Amino acid sequence: MLGVVLSWVLCVLLALVFLFVGGIKLLSQPLMVQEFKLIGLGQWFRYLTGSLEVGGAIGLLIPTFSRWAALL
């Protein structure tokens, strides 16, 4: 029982981190825009990584998709 609760707590914490970081990318925060400009791959890559992070965060909270989201 303790293992199940601990794994859910870890999943929720990880999902919150991914949701926060992905949300910053998708909301076009100036620091993220500048960072991806410096990388040189274009702003499309910022939207792609932000979308993948937010999608992974949501997937971590759905038991059917949690393993695939963890791989993502």
Side-chain angles (χ1 to χ4, degrees):
M1 181 70 174
L2 181 63
V4 173
V5 172
L6 184 62
S7 67
W8 268 106
V9 168
L10 289 175
C11 277
V12 168
L13 289 175
L14 187 61
L16 287 174
V17 169
F18 276 115
L19 190 63
F20 177 73
V21 174
I24 287 175
K25 287 182 179 82
L26 292 176
L27 291 174
S28 300
Q29 292 293 322
L31 183 63
M32 286 292 120
V33 172
Q34 184 180 20
E35 183 176 326
F36 278 84
K37 185 184 243 184
L38 199 105
I39 292 172
L41 289 174
Q43 296 304 309
W44 68 270
F45 192 67
R46 177 175 53 87
Y47 287 115
L48 176 69
T49 56
S51 299
L52 290 174
E53 287 172 349
V54 170
I58 293 168
L60 279 173
L61 300 176
I62 303 171
T64 308
F65 302 119
S66 64
R67 291 182 188 201
W68 292 107
L71 286 173
L72 178 68

